[in-house]
Amino acid sequence: MGYNPDKPMEDRITDLGPPHYGELMPPVIQKNFGKWLYHEITQPGVLMHKAESGDECWTVRVGAARLISIDHIREICDIADKHCGGYVRWTTRNNVEFMVDSKAKVQPLLDDLKSRGNKFPIGATGASVSAIVHTQGWVHCHTPATDASGVVKAVMDELFDYFTSMTLPAQVRVALACCLNMCGAVHASDIAILGIHRKPPMIDHDAISGLCELPLAISACPLGAVKPIKATNSKGEEVKSVKVNAERCMFCGNCYTMCPAMPLADPEGDGIAILVGGKVSNSRAMPKFSKLVIPFLPNTPPRWPETVAAVKNIVDVYAKDARKYERVGEWAERIGWEKFFEKTGIPFTIKSIDDYRLAYDTWRTSTQFKFTSHIK
Amino acid sequence: MPKHDTPLLDELEKGPWPSFVTDLKRQAATKPECWDILGQVELSYKDRITHWKHGGIVGVFGYGGGIVGRYSDVPKQFPGVAHFHTVRVNQPSGLYYSTAKLRAICDLWQKYGSGMTNMHGSTGDMVLLGTTTPNLEPLFYDLTHDLNQDLGGSGSNLRTPACCLGKSRCEWSCYDTQALCHFLTNKYQDELHRPAFPYKFKFKMSGCPNDCVAAIARSDFAVIGSWKDDIRIDQAAVKGYIKGEFPSNGGAHAGRDWGKFDIQKEVLDLCPTNCMWMEGDTLKIDNKECTRCMHCINVMPRALRPGLEQGATICVGAKAPILEGAQFATMIIPFVKVDADSEYEAVTENIEKIWDWWMEVGKNRERVGETIQRVGLPTFLKVMEVEPLPQHVREPRSNPYIFWQEEEVEGGWERDIREFRKRHAQ
């Protein structure tokens, strides 16, 4: 049996949808579904959920690279088979959760996880830095301005002690998107690491008419910087093409998404911007966008030392200065962004002043401000 | 397939965080194309630029999404990744797995793919990274026949819906997020597999305003659990927190000495509406003033719980910055019952109203949040047949430029300029 290439439509099944989650949950979860009373984090990486029935679900949370092999998944399965009755789950931040139904089963599980080198770091609970949600980068994407997995690995190595402990004022959510498309939707993260371009697209006049719908390429630009022209290809023929008004380009890359003949990635042009202070939770303050505080750091593989140092500095200063429960954005707003720049030592540049849509909402229209070292 | 030297990537085998490089090398023992992944990524590390070509439309017959085409721009050097298409597999609600299911996926990917995955993609799918065009139909056949599983979404269609773990292991979830996610994914299979929209459309479901799937930041249609009545209080547990018998915030701050728990400073003073106070050692809440931010419940999970009249708030139109700037979802429907018995009618009727309108007026590659920005929230509320509420805005408009309709103005707009001139000289 199996697929028959001579009769591709034979026995075809479509539109099945996902497997039902019901039978994929551990028995203690199935039994107490909707009947949980409270939870407690008993040590970093270990959560206890108490049910009305008196049952307890003990969860051990471990970090993982998002890019993982089937051999690694099989090792996760081995652990889940041995300790957890053959069930396991992932969190929305790429952590893996092993669940057991009694406290007595926790220590053997922890011992097993710790015996496997650095593959299963235990943590990511409470006032910690959880795993970084991220995109594909150079491992699999055609539009990135930086790598994803490598930057994340280097940053998490540096923030590792914050992952395995709960010493911060609140949870710190770090996210990375390798270009402005933001598949990772990093725009509401405590700290966002964002790949950016700084050179306008090149135009491949030899390929453009075969690869692209010119009107789509032109309308892809939100600033009207792409215009139709007649150009000459390398054979000396006149072809319909486009030009880019570089002065109006904001390097979003949307034209390249629509038209493969307009590549803009570049080793010197591309790099990383850092945005801070976003959150999605409604807890205390309403959700907030992340704000751009460092406009550019170079792409420096394999370990991106400038980016690693910048992120570590922000977390360290926040850890020392913020009050209990304050997220990075709440802290920055309480002390004032001028103080944020002073305390972190991040140079304030004109590039942090918005000049895109709705920019005016971010300008200071008040005499209320703090005198910091910025005012000479 | 030969091994490649990877001196730059080898630097990422150092340090305490799990190394994807070490993992790739381990997988290369049985899936030698992993050497070519390592080789090509090493080249990118050297050149500081991607080596993947733009796009390439591939898929399985009858579906317009679920497979993302990917080709190397250096295929001669790295033939193992010359074709390297992504397969998105629809995840189960809440990301729970039996090891039997997971091992079956691993075996499938051993047979047809590179052996590398993302657990999970940003939208929520299991992402299988790297296979060839000829393998796609056989893989899809085995996935549907043997594993009883299906692909997720990509392109201008309904993207794979995702939810938090909801009632399965959280005491705060105000509705069954997994059940709604599963129901909607199945109800809208056609919209998920066959692109017919102006652009992508995402559903995300969070059980409470803590919003662990970031629905309000990244979904076109966010269903966020909430409640209408009073926060449940266990006064004995409140006293327990005050006495220090229970750790604040479920132990989340236990790694540092923050001093003795101070309910005034840590709960009452941080309440955004100041609707809580103590009478002796009894906690009082003026629930009419509460905006359900979750802070007090987060800090004292044994003492406080969401009310019992539970449902959800529907917010519409979130997106990342491309192109018009980032948008959070705008609150449109303050409260709906999320009710399986009615087949979630209160949710689906709102979804379908949005789609009917957006498919007509949305421009190519315009997210629904951008369409709403373009036409204005008042127009969208009319589309949704929703009465305008003060809750729809943070504050009323400060400009007077109202688009009055002719029928709203006494006498209409037709006037006679000659009659006007009889009384008003030029």
Side-chain angles (χ1 to χ4, degrees):
Chain A
M1 286 301 288
Y3 178 68
N4 178 356
D6 298 328
K7 294 181 177 170
M9 299 311 289
E10 193 172 71
D11 300 331
R12 198 171 188 84
I13 302 175
T14 65
D15 299 69
L16 278 172
H20 194 269
Y21 52 91
E23 69 215 50
L24 303 177
M25 302 187 299
V28 66
I29 296 283
Q30 291 188 35
K31 182 185 162 200
N32 297 290
F33 192 97
K35 297 190 162 56
W36 299 99
L37 274 180
Y38 63 86
H39 74 278
E40 200 167 304
I41 304 162
T42 58
Q43 65 185 79
V46 180
L47 301 116
M48 186 277 289
H49 286 83
K50 186 89 172 176
E52 290 169 8
S53 64
D55 287 353
E56 292 176 352
C57 176
W58 289 77
T59 300
V60 175
R61 186 177 289 169
V62 303
R66 187 182 78 138
L67 175 64
I68 57 175
S69 69
I70 52 176
D71 278 357
H72 187 73
I73 297 173
R74 286 168 174 150
E75 188 169 347
I76 290 169
C77 290
D78 291 342
I79 298 165
D81 283 340
K82 191 168 160 196
H83 298 274
C84 312
Y87 299 93
V88 64
R89 74 174 291 270
W90 267 258
T91 73
T92 54
R93 301 195 76 82
N94 312 325
N95 298 303
V96 182
E97 290 188 335
F98 296 99
M99 291 154 285
V100 294
D101 56 13
S102 79
K103 189 179 181 181
K105 295 177 182 172
V106 173
Q107 197 56 48
L109 172 58
L110 290 172
D111 293 342
D112 188 346
L113 290 166
K114 285 176 191 163
S115 74
R116 294 168 189 263
N118 70 347
K119 280 185 273 190
F120 302 103
I122 297 158
T125 50
S128 64
V129 173
S130 189
I132 297 177
V133 293
H134 65 92
T135 55
Q136 301 288 16
W138 294 337
V139 169
H140 206 242
C141 183
H142 63 294
T143 68
T146 187
D147 188 33
S149 298
V151 184
V152 164
K153 160 72 175 152
V155 171
M156 282 310 292
D157 280 341
E158 187 72 15
L159 298 181
F160 190 74
D161 289 345
Y162 288 121
F163 178 89
T164 58
S165 65
M166 303 190 291
T167 58
L168 291 165
Q171 67 269 40
V172 173
R173 300 287 182 244
V174 187
L176 179 146
C178 53
C179 83
L180 279 74
N181 278 326
M182 284 200 198
C183 299
V186 303
H187 57 289
S189 305
D190 291 285
I191 299 178
I193 304 166
L194 176 65
I196 60 159
H197 305 289
R198 296 185 304 164
K199 293 191 183 184
M202 300 174 282
I203 315 297
D204 186 347
H205 297 309
D206 289 348
I208 194 163
S209 51
L211 285 175
C212 310
E213 300 264 1
L214 296 189
L216 288 181
I218 292 160
S219 65
C221 181
L223 295 175
V226 180
K227 296 288 183 204
I229 55 158
K230 289 205 164 50
T232 307
N233 68 14
S234 54
K235 290 183 193 156
E237 300 157 344
E238 188 180 85
V239 291
K240 287 183 178 172
S241 187
V242 299
K243 66 170 180 179
V244 174
N245 180 351
E247 281 177 23
R248 300 191 72 170
C249 181
M250 63 175 188
F251 315 98
C252 70
N254 200 47
C255 53
Y256 180 60
T257 297
M258 296 307 288
C259 174
M262 302 178 71
L264 74 165
D266 184 89
E268 307 305 326
D270 295 351
I272 284 172
I274 304 288
L275 297 86
V276 308
K279 72 194 264 286
V280 295
S281 155
N282 283 277
S283 191
R284 299 169 306 283
M286 289 185 200
K288 297 175 195 296
F289 290 128
S290 313
K291 281 88 177 166
L292 189 142
V293 296
I294 302 179
F296 183 79
L297 297 166
N299 266 334
T300 44
R303 296 198 66 99
W304 282 265
E306 300 85 354
T307 296
V308 168
V311 173
K312 178 73 163 31
N313 172 50
I314 294 166
V315 179
D316 285 346
V317 175
Y318 158 77
K320 219 183 292 170
D321 202 63
R323 295 176 182 165
K324 190 178 177 186
Y325 305 113
E326 248 174 6
R327 297 285 292 268
V328 172
E330 293 172 292
W331 164 64
E333 286 182 11
R334 175 175 59 80
I335 62 174
W337 282 98
E338 62 269 48
K339 279 279 181 193
F340 169 89
F341 282 98
E342 188 174 71
K343 284 180 192 252
T344 56
I346 296 171
F348 183 81
T349 75
I350 200 160
K351 296 187 173 56
S352 281
I353 300 177
D354 196 353
D355 51 5
Y356 192 55
R357 315 268 198 252
L358 307 174
Y360 174 81
D361 288 353
T362 64
W363 302 343
R364 189 175 312 247
T365 51
S366 161
T367 57
Q368 294 186 20
F369 58 84
K370 292 180 180 175
F371 285 102
T372 58
S373 53
H374 301 95
I375 299 176
K376 303 288 183 244
Chain B
M1 227 160 278
K3 283 171 73 166
H4 305 283
D5 286 333
T6 55
L8 294 170
L9 287 176
D10 294 350
E11 291 298 311
L12 291 171
E13 294 199 83
K14 300 170 183 168
W17 187 251
S19 169
F20 68 98
V21 177
T22 307
D23 195 15
L24 271 160
K25 287 183 179 177
R26 165 163 104 159
Q27 191 61 54
T30 54
K31 298 297 294 182
E33 52 265 60
C34 288
W35 285 121
D36 277 359
I37 304 176
L38 285 160
Q40 183 171 315
V41 176
E42 177 75 13
L43 184 63
S44 279
Y45 272 51
K46 189 163 154 272
D47 295 346
R48 297 191 294 148
I49 196 164
T50 191
H51 279 289
W52 299 105
K53 278 191 204 176
H54 193 299
I57 295 171
V58 292
V60 296
F61 190 82
Y63 279 14
I67 314 278
V68 182
R70 188 66 70 231
Y71 298 91
S72 171
D73 73 4
V74 279
K76 289 201 179 99
Q77 271 172 276
F78 308 108
V81 297
H83 297 214
F84 208 63
H85 311 321
T86 304
V87 179
R88 294 183 180 169
V89 177
N90 197 153
Q91 82 288 359
S93 285
L95 308 176
Y96 286 93
Y97 296 95
S98 67
T99 52
K101 272 271 181 213
L102 274 178
R103 288 184 196 279
I105 289 277
C106 292
D107 293 347
L108 180 83
W109 200 232
Q110 177 101 37
K111 189 171 170 191
Y112 293 115
S114 73
M116 292 309 294
T117 76
N118 290 144
M119 294 292 280
H120 295 79
S122 297
T123 299
D125 295 287
M126 309 171 73
V127 174
L128 308 180
L129 281 180
T131 189
T132 61
T133 308
N135 273 345
L136 292 173
E137 286 292 348
L139 179 149
F140 182 67
Y141 188 97
D142 289 5
L143 180 74
T144 50
H145 285 76
D146 301 341
L147 275 66
N148 197 30
Q149 288 194 236
D150 202 349
L151 300 180
S154 64
S156 291
N157 60 8
L158 174 64
R159 296 300 182 87
T160 310
C163 62
C164 72
L165 57 53
K167 286 180 179 285
S168 67
R169 205 198 58 198
C170 182
E171 64 269 32
W172 296 327
S173 192
C174 293
Y175 72 94
D176 186 345
T177 56
Q178 292 168 285
L180 179 64
C181 186
H182 191 77
F183 176 86
L184 294 178
T185 310
N186 281 301
K187 181 175 172 69
Y188 297 119
Q189 281 288 294
D190 195 34
E191 287 79 359
L192 197 156
H193 295 305
R194 295 165 197 96
F197 290 153
Y199 200 15
K200 65 182 86 164
F201 196 96
K202 297 183 178 184
F203 297 156
K204 294 200 190 292
M205 287 138 262
S206 277
C208 84
N210 282 329
D211 196 1
C212 289
V213 283
I216 206 159
R218 58 196 192 126
S219 60
D220 300 275
F221 190 89
V223 185
I224 301 173
S226 196
W227 67 94
K228 255 184 152 170
D229 55 344
D230 295 353
I231 291 173
R232 286 174 281 171
I233 309 180
D234 177 344
Q235 294 288 357
V238 173
K239 293 181 182 75
Y241 279 104
I242 294 170
K243 283 186 205 145
E245 289 166 9
F246 313 128
S248 65
N249 226 11
H253 290 81
R256 178 153 143 192
D257 182 10
W258 291 95
K260 190 175 173 299
F261 178 70
D262 180 342
I263 194 168
Q264 182 69 40
K265 199 170 121 199
E266 298 187 36
V267 182
L268 312 190
D269 291 352
L270 295 180
C271 170
T273 64
N274 289 310
C275 70
M276 314 177 79
W277 69 97
M278 297 300 294
E279 286 183 13
D281 55 4
T282 302
L283 176 66
K284 296 284 184 181
I285 303 176
D286 183 356
N287 280 281
K288 294 187 303 302
E289 299 301 314
C290 172
T291 51
R292 303 168 307 288
C293 85
M294 293 295 295
H295 176 73
C296 60
I297 297 174
N298 290 340
V299 174
M300 303 194 293
R302 290 185 191 226
L304 302 178
R305 304 174 74 190
L308 285 167
E309 192 183 349
Q310 299 184 338
T313 299
I314 294 175
C315 303
V316 178
K319 55 180 282 292
I322 288 281
L323 270 178
E324 295 297 316
Q327 288 180 215
F328 283 119
T330 301
M331 199 287 289
I332 301 295
I333 315 281
F335 192 79
V336 292
K337 286 277 176 207
V338 183
D339 175 19
D341 294 338
S342 71
E343 300 208 306
Y344 306 102
E345 194 185 352
V347 176
T348 57
E349 69 177 7
N350 284 303
I351 291 170
E352 289 167 22
K353 267 184 212 167
I354 294 171
W355 283 352
D356 286 348
W357 169 76
W358 181 55
M359 285 170 76
E360 197 174 308
V361 308
K363 295 180 179 174
N364 183 41
R365 279 171 62 79
E366 183 179 62
R367 294 284 287 270
V368 73
E370 289 168 321
T371 314
I372 296 169
Q373 280 263 28
R374 180 161 59 77
V375 303
L377 183 58
T379 300
F380 184 66
L381 292 178
K382 284 177 196 157
V383 168
M384 297 300 290
E385 301 170 281
V386 170
E387 284 295 311
L389 302 168
Q391 286 85 349
H392 283 132
V393 293
R394 264 201 287 262
E395 58 188 29
R397 72 193 303 156
S398 51
N399 66 67
Y401 305 134
I402 298 162
F403 292 102
W404 292 101
Q405 300 294 303
E406 184 171 11
E407 58 272 22
E408 292 178 297
V409 184
E410 295 78 4
W413 289 349
E414 286 300 320
R415 287 180 291 165
D416 188 334
I417 185 67
R418 278 164 305 198
E419 284 297 316
F420 179 81
R421 282 290 167 239
K422 286 177 190 168
R423 296 184 301 277
H424 304 277
Q426 169 98 42

